[in-house]
Structure formats: C-alpha cells, structure tokens
Amino acid sequence: MAVTWLDKLEEQLNVDVDWMDPEYIKSMLPKIKFHDQTSNQLWVDIQLGHESNAELLKQVTKELKDQGWLAIYTRMAVLMCKKNIDMIQGRVLLQTLPSKAYDTEATLAHARLYDAEFRRAGISRDRFCIKIPSTGPALNAAKILQQEGIQTLGTALFGVPQAVACSQAGCLYISPYYNETQAHDDPKLWPNVKDPATQHPNSPRIIQILEVYKKLYKETGREQPLVKNASFISPEEAMAAGEMGCHSATISHTVLNELASRPYDASAQPGQGEPKREHAYKDARVLPARFEPLLAIDPLSPENKAALDEAAHVDYLADGGKKLDEAIAADPETAKRLKIALDLFTGGENRSKEKVEKAMKEAA
C-alpha cells in the first residue's frame, strides 16, 4: 500500500483524534490507532445530544438528579470517553468549565470531580488528562492538580507567556491553537498559505515555544510540557506541525480523512519532518535552518518582534497568576483569541447544561 500523509505524520509525531464519536474512531482502526482522544465543550455537547447516548443520559440523570447538572454532565462526559478508551493507545482528555476559567477553586473542583468519575469508571490516572484554560487562576489550579497526581494540559494557548506558565505549573501537555477558533467558520480569517511551516503567522510562536522549552529543559533538567498542536484547518498545517517538531497533533476527523486519502510524495513537500524522538527534550531535534528566522519575528504582535529571553524567566503564576494575565492583556491577539475561545466553549457548556436540566425535569 502507498504511504499516506497520515502514515508519514505518524512517523514524526503522535497523531491524536480531536473528536469523540466512537464509530469514527473504530472506523479508523485499520489505518491508525490514535494516541490520545481530545475533546472540548463543543464535542461533549454533540455527543450528549446523540441518540446513541440518550438512554445513558436518562440512567445517569436518574442516579444523580439530586446532585445538580454538573455532576450529571461530568459523569456523562467520562462515560462517553470510556467508549473510546480501548480503541486508543493513550489518554482521553476532558476540559474543565470554560465559564470558570478565572476561578482557581472552581477549576480545581471540576477537575477533581472528573478524577473521581474516571476512578469510578475504572479508568486510571495514566489514561486520562484534564484540559485547563491557560489563564493565571486556572493554571494555578493546574499546578495543584499536578502535585496531586492528576495530569493536565494547558489549553486555549496562543503565546509564549502562556506556554511558560504551563511549564511552571508542571503540565504534561500544552495545546497551542494554530488557527484562531473563528477561522474555522470564516475563511477570511484563515491564512491559507502554500508552506504553513514558514508562512503561517502563528508558526513563529510554535517554533518559539518549542525552543523555549528546550532551553528550560537544558537549564533546569525538569521535564517540560509536550507540545500537542491543535486547531488545524488543512492537511498541510498538520504536516507543518510534524516538520516544526511538535510532539503530537490533535486533529479533527475532517482533516484526518484528508490526510489518510493523500499518497505521500516527499518531492512535493516544502520541507521534511524528522522521526519521533524517544525523549522529547533530552534528544530534542536541532532546529532546521529554514526555521531560524522565525525565532526573531512575531507577525501576530504589533512590533513583529519576539522577546523569548524575557518571557522565559517571569514567574507567571505568582499572586494568583497576575503576571500571566498581565502578559495576556498586553498581547492584543492573545487576549482577543483567548476571550473568543472561552466564549465559544462556554456556549457549548450552556447548551449541555440545558440538555441536562431538561433530562432532570423529565426524570422528576
């Protein structure tokens, strides 16, 4: 069989599925067994309303109707992930409430509730991870969770300061968004370029995050978060993640299908990625020469200039994450994209709340 783009990408990084539908994940098993299965409030809401989960929702609502909508939602999210756990290699990921992204205690409480539900479902801590919004207060919660043995991923991440804060929190993963969330629905916001690895305006930030993590590992000897790139619109962007040296890529079912259908021709690619390393930072890849210019620029900032050394040595989690929230506010593009993403996911959260409350009324 011909090698596909998906085959080649899996050689370079861990391919994850950003979708919760068990039938889709099962359908891909002849081609690939995904590493992780990621999700967000939008994907959970879609599955919550799917007819295949209707009886499960009735059952869970009956069990937990006196504990409120969030208890029902959280158990449902975990049980829907459980449907996929044996069809993937690694972890299932669920996200804490985006509406509480600036509330440390509420973020802690929801993550601990997920932990309890995963334990109840027979899923051990090495098979799940909790997605935490990359705000000052929420990443302070992530730091506590990591100390408790609950693995976290810093999500809704758009810049180097957020990535450094995730390192300081001890997160297992981060998910930088390659495209802003609105670009998935508005083609005018999508930079559809021929060579995303060097031409996409967010590529410099991805490269800079990877290089800062290499530097921090070398300076401290501490493990750094693994970079799980997200929010791809085209197969070319997913391939760029491999060439840039990301450790994993979580990819929508639509882009995965395109990757799986394209025969790979190295001569037609703008650049070539390298095979995965056994240890992401100890055996880190050397930055290819064609990416070196990206270390000094930042097309998403007004000055188009990166400030890596300064960003790498700020205590972003001190005083409840004040320095991180100041850094986000000082970066107009990050501040805008973070707010839009949290609003989008809060919309999914609210729709799920309505579904659960309707089920509670019907069960009364």
Side-chain angles (χ1 to χ4, degrees), residues 295-364:
L295 291 174
I297 64 172
D298 183 4
L300 297 179
S301 73
E303 299 84 14
N304 192 22
K305 184 178 179 182
L308 300 190
D309 290 337
E310 178 184 349
H313 297 98
V314 175
D315 185 353
Y316 287 110
L317 299 186
D319 195 16
K322 183 178 179 182
K323 289 290 186 183
L324 176 57
D325 289 340
E326 288 175 353
I328 291 170
D331 177 358
E333 204 62 36
T334 290
K336 180 192 79 171
R337 294 182 181 204
L338 175 60
K339 182 182 186 305
I340 290 170
L342 292 176
D343 287 348
L344 177 69
F345 294 138
T346 299
E349 173 190 325
N350 289 337
R351 289 190 292 277
S352 290
K353 183 179 179 182
E354 290 173 3
K355 288 182 176 69
V356 171
E357 289 180 338
K358 180 182 178 184
M360 291 170 71
K361 286 182 181 179
E362 291 172 352

Side-chain angles (χ1 to χ4, degrees), residues 223-364:
E223 293 295 338
Q224 299 300 309
L226 299 171
V227 177
K228 187 186 292 296
N229 210 359
S231 192
F232 306 106
I233 294 175
S234 72
E236 289 81 4
E237 291 172 348
M239 298 303 292
E243 189 190 354
M244 288 188 289
C246 295
H247 310 114
S248 59
T250 184
I251 307 174
S252 70
H253 61 295
T254 51
V255 174
L256 284 166
N257 289 341
E258 289 192 68
L259 287 166
S261 69
R262 294 189 183 186
Y264 185 79
D265 178 1
S267 66
Q269 296 293 325
Q272 296 295 315
E274 297 181 18
K276 288 182 271 196
R277 298 292 201 267
E278 185 174 344
H279 188 287
Y281 294 107
K282 184 178 179 181
D283 307 318
R285 313 176 198 189
V286 175
L287 185 69
R290 84 188 199 103
F291 292 147
E292 289 178 2
L294 303 187
L295 291 174
I297 64 172
D298 183 4
L300 297 179
S301 73
E303 299 84 14
N304 192 22
K305 184 178 179 182
L308 300 190
D309 290 337
E310 178 184 349
H313 297 98
V314 175
D315 185 353
Y316 287 110
L317 299 186
D319 195 16
K322 183 178 179 182
K323 289 290 186 183
L324 176 57
D325 289 340
E326 288 175 353
I328 291 170
D331 177 358
E333 204 62 36
T334 290
K336 180 192 79 171
R337 294 182 181 204
L338 175 60
K339 182 182 186 305
I340 290 170
L342 292 176
D343 287 348
L344 177 69
F345 294 138
T346 299
E349 173 190 325
N350 289 337
R351 289 190 292 277
S352 290
K353 183 179 179 182
E354 290 173 3
K355 288 182 176 69
V356 171
E357 289 180 338
K358 180 182 178 184
M360 291 170 71
K361 286 182 181 179
E362 291 172 352

Side-chain angles (χ1 to χ4, degrees), residues 79-229:
L79 292 176
M80 291 188 297
C81 282
K82 186 176 182 179
K83 293 183 177 185
N84 298 327
I85 196 73
D86 292 333
M87 295 189 289
I88 63 169
Q89 300 183 50
R91 299 173 187 264
V92 289
L93 287 88
L94 290 168
Q95 184 167 287
T96 56
L97 294 174
S99 65
K100 303 296 184 181
Y102 290 92
D103 186 327
T104 301
E105 291 304 317
T107 299
L108 269 175
H110 194 205
R112 287 168 175 160
L113 184 57
Y114 277 135
D115 180 56
E117 288 296 339
F118 275 117
R119 183 168 58 250
R120 180 184 178 277
I123 299 173
S124 58
R125 283 180 170 178
D126 63 345
R127 297 301 310 277
F128 72 87
C129 181
I130 307 301
K131 295 175 64 176
I132 306 290
S134 296
T135 67
L139 288 179
N140 269 282
K143 184 175 183 178
I144 295 169
L145 293 166
Q146 290 290 154
Q147 292 167 350
E148 294 176 354
I150 301 171
Q151 296 288 358
T152 63
L153 173 149
T155 191
L157 192 150
F158 301 96
V160 174
Q162 289 174 295
V164 174
C166 289
S167 169
Q168 293 167 353
C171 294
L172 174 64
Y173 299 127
I174 63 167
S175 271
Y177 287 14
Y178 199 57
N179 290 290
E180 58 186 302
T181 53
Q182 286 184 310
H184 291 265
D185 297 316
D186 186 350
K188 295 192 297 294
L189 297 176
W190 177 38
N192 183 13
V193 292
K194 185 176 181 180
D195 180 13
T198 61
Q199 297 172 349
H200 194 289
N202 204 32
S203 288
R205 291 192 177 193
I206 302 297
I207 292 291
Q208 290 158 22
I209 288 168
L210 286 162
E211 290 302 302
V212 165
Y213 279 173
K214 290 179 193 176
K215 180 178 180 180
L216 289 173
Y217 177 80
K218 189 173 181 179
E219 288 179 356
T220 67
R222 288 189 295 105
E223 293 295 338
Q224 299 300 309
L226 299 171
V227 177
K228 187 186 292 296
N229 210 359

